[in-house]
Amino acid sequence: MPRRDLRALFRTNVEGLDAVYVFANREDERIAFDSAFAAHQAGLDDPVAQVGDMTSPRSNVLTFYGVGGIGKTSLSRQLQARVESPDESLPEGWPAISEAPKVLTARLDLSREAGHDFESMILLLRAALAPLGRPMTAFDLAFARYWERNHSEPLADYMSRHGFFSRLPGASAVPQHLSEAVTEVIGLAGMGVPGLPLLVQTGPGLVAALRDRSRRRHALKDCRRLPDLLEADASLDSLSFYPHLLAWDLASWQRREPIGLVVFIDTFEQVGSRSDRDLERLIQRMVWLMPNAMFVVTGRNRLDWDDPGLADRLDWTGSVSWPGLAAGTSSEPRQHLVGFLSPRDCDRYLRTRLIRDGQPAIPADIRQRIVANSRGLPLYLDLSVMRFLHLLPRPEAMTPDDFSEPFPGIVARVFRDLDQAERSILRAVTLLDAFDVDLALVTAGVTSRAAAQQLVQRPLVLHAGDGRWPYYLHDLVREQVRVADVGLDDSWTPQDWSDAAARALIALGRIAVGSRLLRDRRTLISVLNQGFRLAHEYRLQLDWLVDAAYWYVEDSVWEPTLRPRVSADTEPDRELQLTTPAQTLAVALETIAKRQRVHRGETLRLLERCAAADGLGDQARDLIAYFHAECQRDLGHPAESEREMLGLIGPNRRMADAALRGLSHLQRRTGRFAALASQLQGRPLVGVWHRATGELHWTQGRLDDACREYDAGIAWASEERLPGEIALTSACRAWAASLMSAEAGRSAIDAAREALRSVTIAWAELLVACAEAACRAGEVDAEQLCDQLVSDARQRGLTSPEAYAQFARAFHFAVLADVDGLLRARALIRSLVHGHQFAYLCEIVDFWLGTSAPDDGLPAAQWVDERDVTAGRWLETVQSRRRDRQALRSVDGI
């Protein structure tokens, strides 16, 4: 049924006056939706065939875009309510949907406050189809396997903990549907009924059964991509292709009866910046894979998927792929600019917003003045209604002159209509991106909870949902409240504003402490973003922001959502102007997070500018210096990196342990293994030192020992809930295991890719790819993979993955006993040697070459054991791989 804003019923105490929720009529947009939906449904000649077609253009996206405050979300919700409950009351002038098929809807709110990740979006889509009352067999089978592999918590418990699922009709049946799908398919495959917990173990046999044409008696026999998706890693990337299975299941229904699925995607502008399209890429993939569903997208910007220049960032681009998104297209579905309301729609809104005795409460002449000044902005209309309610009890009659102000004026008038406590709270929340009642009261320095509760019910305050901070002010209102705070008895002085900002910063600091204890990175990032802006604008001390910066980096998780809202020009050809310590630390932290997506040279340049800025304390400067030293190492400057790392070691230096680990990496890179072993012996073998020890072991050819140390490190990181460390150590283990045997390597690679599903660490991703190349040693495509890895590493400015890719190439030729190829690979490694850096890799290759090794005067490594002992281990590694290959060829021959 249409959603009614019950808060409107409590916004006036005037007897006989009804304050009613009113949707600002959008007749043109309604017509566009009806036309688009009709065209989309008419185009579903054979839904199953269309879902299986991966090359034809897509015409399943209707877009409404426009400036903030124009009413896009209201439009989206009203359209959804109309198709969900066509018999309920409709906006004036909106006809019922004629001859509509059964329509199911889903809503994906992409706002930060909603807190939906891609996994929850896929679940919301599946929940939207729950009212059909039976499993979506292909999807449910794959998703059951995915959930079992990635979560220890039952799906039913997860969905009950997240309230947005409980609001969906039939969503509670989804876990049962998954269980039924697993039972049905495994039973039909002749494998018994093992139950959901055993799906992972039965996976290989199940896939074989699905591929066996003689046994494909069930409905899944035509879902030809299902076996491949069941064989793929149960990762985020694989999950992003599961919408194809959901579309296939839906298409099977649509062949039998007319069923429509409309997915409303709101606040699309918040899926990422125009330079970071990771989430947008996954959402676009979902849209492409579901041509039998219509997507209604609302946001501030038009979709630019029709731009062929985005081919390196999105899967499908250009007007050939998305004809409806191209400029000048006239057929639906297409893109529509949501403009300001027409004068007729504005008057209709005002006539129906306040009702007395069945008639409009606002007189016609006043409505005319409000409409003329509003310029069609719905927010202005609502603020004018608020002012009307305030003036209504006074004895003198209202006139149009009482509503003569343009937008800034009406905000000023509304502001003056509030009592003193409400004004203080309103001023305070203009400092915050989002807030709850408690944060508003602390920032304002008042204790009147009743005043705060009253304020958040006013049209000035927008509701973000049920997140940590459920309220926020429209950006334009935030700006204009400052303008309105002039000439009042209680107007804030500059010092008052600064004091409020300081109170807010302290309150955010307390929240940051709690977020760290709970490992709640989403909240930590939010308080960092708000805290940096406050400290910058009001020149406040960094205080807890330094601690929070350390907490942010300690997990080695680099989300693209860390975007300090502090102005700074970071164009390469311009000088970066940093005016406050908060701005400097904000830019530094953002640079550290973004280094996973840009060349290390760019990161180095920005960190150098941050380090040169004034006002940073020692701890903040140490944080910047450490990551600067890391960049020096990654770019192949070991001497400079070592000098900086040594400078960070000392009592009471927070980066001392990290710098010691950094030195261990440098010692390994430069072949000082004996010194590294001595250093590790002097430290308790706990925490991340397991990884450092494992890295020492693999260089010595002690691959079993390396894997054991990595396993211990992964266990520790799992206990400490450190996903970044788990991913790093898992990547290192994959590399060592891939040199040990192809079978062990592939298992370790799967585990590493799973660990990397939730984090972004470029070095670890490349190392896992190097492990894949080492696994393929002796295969025809191994060298081609190494070429691609070298290119990827150079693009990111990472020297060690490039060296390991060349080492994997050498390993490939060593397994083949190809001396010429091995010499060529050695020459490529040799080109990367600077001083002692990576010389040890050439020396290992020389072990394999034996008497064919060139004598080019490279410095010898300081091996932990005798050189001949180490050489023997590396020779055995190659010989073991050759025996494995011979055994496989023998089996194939049989």
Side-chain angles (χ1 to χ4, degrees):
M1 62 179 294
R3 293 164 177 78
R4 194 174 185 200
D5 188 354
L6 296 178
R7 291 172 289 118
L9 300 177
F10 300 92
R11 287 178 179 165
T12 176
N13 293 321
V14 180
E15 186 175 357
L17 186 67
D18 292 327
V20 181
Y21 170 79
V22 176
F23 169 67
N25 190 34
R26 293 284 189 179
E27 179 67 9
D28 291 341
E29 286 76 10
R30 192 275 306 167
I31 293 172
F33 174 84
D34 286 358
S35 300
F37 182 69
H40 180 261
Q41 290 298 113
L44 297 179
D45 297 328
D46 186 346
V48 173
Q50 287 175 283
V51 167
D53 183 356
M54 291 294 122
T55 59
S56 295
R58 296 305 196 245
S59 297
N60 60 333
V61 183
L62 174 66
T63 307
F64 296 112
Y65 68 99
V67 300
I70 205 68
K72 301 180 297 297
T73 296
S74 295
L75 170 65
S76 175
R77 290 191 178 279
Q78 194 65 40
L79 289 171
Q80 182 181 7
R82 178 167 174 258
V83 295
E84 284 181 345
S85 305
D87 297 331
E88 298 291 340
S89 59
L90 298 171
E92 183 180 347
W94 279 31
I97 301 178
S98 59
E99 299 180 1
K102 181 175 184 177
V103 183
L104 302 172
T105 69
R107 170 164 292 275
L108 307 181
D109 183 355
L110 304 183
S111 64
R112 293 186 182 92
E113 293 78 12
H116 294 165
D117 55 16
F118 186 71
E119 186 179 89
S120 65
M121 294 180 203
I122 295 297
L123 258 178
L124 283 166
L125 275 181
R126 174 60 184 90
L129 297 176
L132 292 176
R134 67 179 308 273
M136 299 283 106
T137 309
F139 174 86
D140 290 352
L141 185 65
F143 191 80
R145 172 179 174 268
Y146 168 87
W147 191 266
E148 184 180 344
R149 290 290 296 270
N150 291 281
H151 296 273
S152 58
E153 179 182 24
L155 178 60
D157 292 350
Y158 174 86
M159 295 181 72
S160 66
R161 282 197 303 106
H162 292 78
F164 46 79
F165 290 113
S166 64
R167 294 191 290 268
L168 302 176
S172 60
V174 171
Q176 180 62 31
H177 288 172
L178 264 64
S179 181
E180 291 173 4
V182 172
T183 300
E184 174 190 356
V185 175
I186 291 180
L188 288 172
M191 302 178 65
V193 186
L196 188 60
L198 297 179
L199 180 58
V200 171
Q201 289 85 343
T202 60
L206 178 60
V207 170
L210 290 173
R211 293 191 189 279
D212 185 351
R213 294 180 179 274
S214 66
R215 300 169 65 188
R216 295 196 307 181
R217 306 188 305 272
H218 46 78
L220 297 182
K221 64 181 184 298
D222 296 323
C223 189
R224 62 186 184 87
R225 294 185 175 90
L226 176 59
D228 295 309
L229 288 172
L230 288 175
E231 282 184 325
D233 297 336
S235 64
L236 177 63
D237 188 61
S238 296
L239 179 66
S240 68
F241 289 98
Y242 288 7
H244 166 71
L245 303 177
L246 195 61
W248 190 89
D249 288 316
L250 175 62
S252 299
W253 281 82
Q254 290 172 326
R255 267 186 172 175
R256 300 191 296 268
E257 60 179 296
I259 296 175
L261 174 61
V262 185
V263 182
F264 294 87
I265 305 180
D266 196 23
T267 59
F268 196 83
E269 70 274 4
Q270 295 199 28
V271 299
S273 67
R274 288 308 186 190
S275 60
D276 168 28
R277 294 177 179 255
D278 293 347
L279 180 55
E280 184 176 2
R281 177 174 55 83
L282 299 178
I283 293 173
Q284 190 212 54
R285 187 178 295 171
M286 174 181 69
V287 174
W288 182 273
L289 295 174
M290 301 188 72
N292 55 336
M294 192 174 88
F295 292 81
V296 181
V297 179
T298 47
R300 294 191 179 187
N301 310 307
R302 68 178 296 276
L303 282 181
D304 56 357
W305 297 350
D306 59 316
D307 182 358
L310 298 175
D312 60 332
R313 301 182 187 180
L314 301 174
D315 292 343
W316 292 276
T317 58
S319 58
V320 173
S321 296
W322 305 97
L325 302 182
T329 300
S330 58
S331 58
E332 299 292 354
R334 59 189 178 91
Q335 306 215 56
H336 296 265
L337 174 63
V338 180
F340 296 92
L341 296 175
S342 68
R344 179 172 174 268
D345 283 344
C346 288
D347 187 63
R348 179 188 291 121
Y349 177 89
L350 294 173
R351 280 191 290 108
T352 53
R353 181 68 171 84
L354 295 176
I355 301 295
R356 171 176 281 164
D357 299 329
Q359 298 297 318
I362 304 176
D365 55 347
I366 293 179
R367 295 201 308 270
Q368 185 177 4
R369 179 65 59 86
I370 294 173
V371 169
N373 290 334
S374 72
R375 300 181 183 179
L377 184 65
L379 184 60
Y380 182 95
L381 302 178
D382 218 3
L383 292 176
S384 297
V385 170
M386 182 178 173
R387 174 155 176 75
F388 180 87
L389 291 173
H390 178 79
L391 296 178
L392 196 58
R394 72 179 187 178
E396 62 271 24
M398 278 183 277
T399 69
D401 290 339
D402 291 316
F403 298 86
S404 60
E405 297 92 345
F407 189 86
I410 198 69
V411 172
R413 284 299 187 99
V414 170
F415 182 78
R416 284 162 171 76
D417 293 341
L418 305 177
D419 63 32
Q420 183 174 352
E422 284 184 281
R423 287 202 295 264
S424 292
I425 297 169
L426 180 58
R427 294 181 185 107
V429 297
T430 64
L431 298 170
L432 304 167
D433 297 329
F435 60 94
D436 58 14
V437 168
D438 291 331
L439 183 57
L441 290 173
V442 170
T443 304
V446 300
T447 59
S448 177
R449 179 170 289 271
Q453 293 284 7
Q454 185 172 342
L455 179 69
V456 298
Q457 301 303 320
R458 296 185 181 275
L460 283 165
V461 179
L462 303 177
H463 291 242
D466 301 326
R468 174 63 186 264
W469 291 299
Y471 308 111
Y472 68 102
L473 295 180
H474 189 281
D475 290 344
L476 191 55
V477 174
R478 288 176 72 180
E479 296 171 5
Q480 295 303 323
V481 166
R482 301 290 186 90
V483 176
D485 190 28
V486 176
L488 301 176
D489 292 340
D490 63 340
S491 293
W492 279 6
T493 66
Q495 186 60 49
D496 291 330
W497 284 103
S498 182
D499 291 344
R503 289 191 295 269
L505 193 63
I506 292 171
L508 290 171
R510 288 194 290 267
I511 296 170
V513 172
S515 70
R516 194 222 182 182
L517 294 174
L518 296 173
R519 295 285 184 187
D520 181 359
R521 290 184 66 81
R522 184 188 298 273
T523 299
L524 177 64
I525 290 170
S526 181
V527 295
L528 273 170
N529 284 333
Q530 295 203 66
F532 277 133
R533 183 179 54 76
L534 288 170
H536 169 64
E537 290 182 8
Y538 292 93
R539 298 183 175 272
L540 303 174
Q541 296 297 314
L542 291 175
D543 293 332
W544 64 267
L545 288 167
V546 177
D547 291 330
Y550 274 86
W551 300 336
Y552 174 77
V553 303
E554 69 183 359
D555 281 354
S556 298
V557 178
W558 313 110
E559 301 97 335
T561 48
L562 180 69
R563 300 189 186 98
R565 299 177 180 96
V566 175
S567 176
D569 188 351
T570 57
E571 292 298 320
D573 58 344
R574 298 184 183 180
E575 190 66 25
L576 181 62
Q577 300 297 321
L578 299 171
T579 59
T580 67
Q583 184 184 33
T584 301
L585 185 56
V587 172
L589 207 59
E590 184 181 24
T591 300
I592 291 166
K594 281 186 174 180
R595 79 190 194 284
Q596 304 300 328
R597 300 169 179 83
V598 301
H599 193 279
R600 283 297 197 271
E602 174 66 9
T603 302
L604 189 77
R605 181 188 67 82
L606 288 173
L607 289 179
E608 285 174 349
R609 293 189 180 183
C610 292
D614 296 329
L616 285 178
D618 291 340
Q619 290 189 2
R621 203 172 295 281
D622 278 1
L623 182 68
I624 296 172
Y626 171 77
F627 285 98
H628 185 270
E630 267 202 359
C631 285
Q632 293 278 31
R633 180 191 70 206
D634 293 338
L635 290 167
H637 307 144
E640 293 87 342
S641 179
E642 185 165 348
R643 185 166 55 250
E644 291 187 61
M645 293 288 187
L646 286 169
L648 292 169
I649 297 173
N652 301 319
R653 302 292 289 274
R654 291 181 70 165
M655 296 307 298
D657 278 350
L660 284 170
R661 295 196 301 272
L663 285 174
S664 74
H665 296 317
L666 290 166
Q667 288 173 321
R668 176 175 47 81
R669 277 179 169 236
T670 52
R672 292 174 286 169
F673 304 123
L676 174 56
S678 177
Q679 175 186 324
L680 291 174
Q681 287 176 357
R683 301 192 62 83
L685 193 55
V686 295
V688 296
W689 292 104
H690 285 294
R691 175 157 56 93
T693 305
E695 289 170 340
L696 172 64
H697 283 328
W698 84 255
T699 61
Q700 311 304 297
R702 304 174 69 98
L703 301 174
D704 282 330
D705 292 338
C707 288
R708 277 191 290 272
E709 289 298 335
Y710 291 138
D711 286 337
I714 292 168
W716 169 80
S718 299
E719 185 177 341
E720 295 294 319
R721 293 188 295 168
L722 299 172
E725 182 60 31
I726 294 171
L728 283 167
T729 309
S730 297
C732 292
R733 191 191 189 285
W735 171 245
S738 69
L739 294 170
M740 188 164 55
S741 78
E743 182 180 1
R746 291 191 178 97
S747 175
I749 288 168
D750 289 344
R753 285 179 173 155
E754 182 58 33
L756 282 163
R757 186 180 67 88
S758 60
V759 299
T760 302
I761 305 176
W763 182 87
E765 292 168 359
L766 288 171
L767 186 62
V768 172
C770 290
E772 178 67 31
C775 273
R776 297 186 190 179
E779 299 179 13
V780 292
D781 62 343
E783 192 169 12
Q784 181 180 0
L785 178 56
C786 292
D787 290 337
Q788 182 60 51
L789 280 169
V790 169
S791 175
D792 292 345
R794 287 177 178 172
Q795 287 180 3
R796 302 198 188 197
L798 293 169
T799 53
S800 64
E802 180 181 357
Y804 294 153
Q806 301 294 17
F807 185 73
R809 188 196 307 273
F811 185 60
H812 163 69
F813 286 118
V815 170
L816 293 176
D818 183 344
V819 174
D820 290 339
L822 196 52
L823 285 169
R824 283 192 288 107
R826 184 190 186 280
L828 292 170
I829 299 173
R830 179 69 179 84
S831 67
L832 300 174
V833 174
H834 299 289
H836 289 72
Q837 180 172 247
F838 302 132
Y840 76 93
L841 293 177
C842 280
E843 197 168 350
I844 295 173
V845 175
D846 290 345
F847 297 157
W848 297 331
L849 284 166
T851 57
S852 300
D855 183 10
D856 53 3
L858 274 180
Q862 300 170 2
W863 302 104
V864 175
D865 299 319
E866 295 294 330
R867 188 177 188 274
D868 290 345
V869 174
T870 305
R873 283 195 292 264
W874 279 112
L875 284 169
E876 173 57 27
T877 299
V878 169
Q879 291 164 359
S880 176
R881 184 62 62 88
R882 290 173 182 167
R883 288 193 296 270
D884 289 346
R885 283 175 49 76
Q886 183 61 41
L888 283 174
R889 284 199 293 270
S890 298
V891 171
D892 290 342
I894 293 173

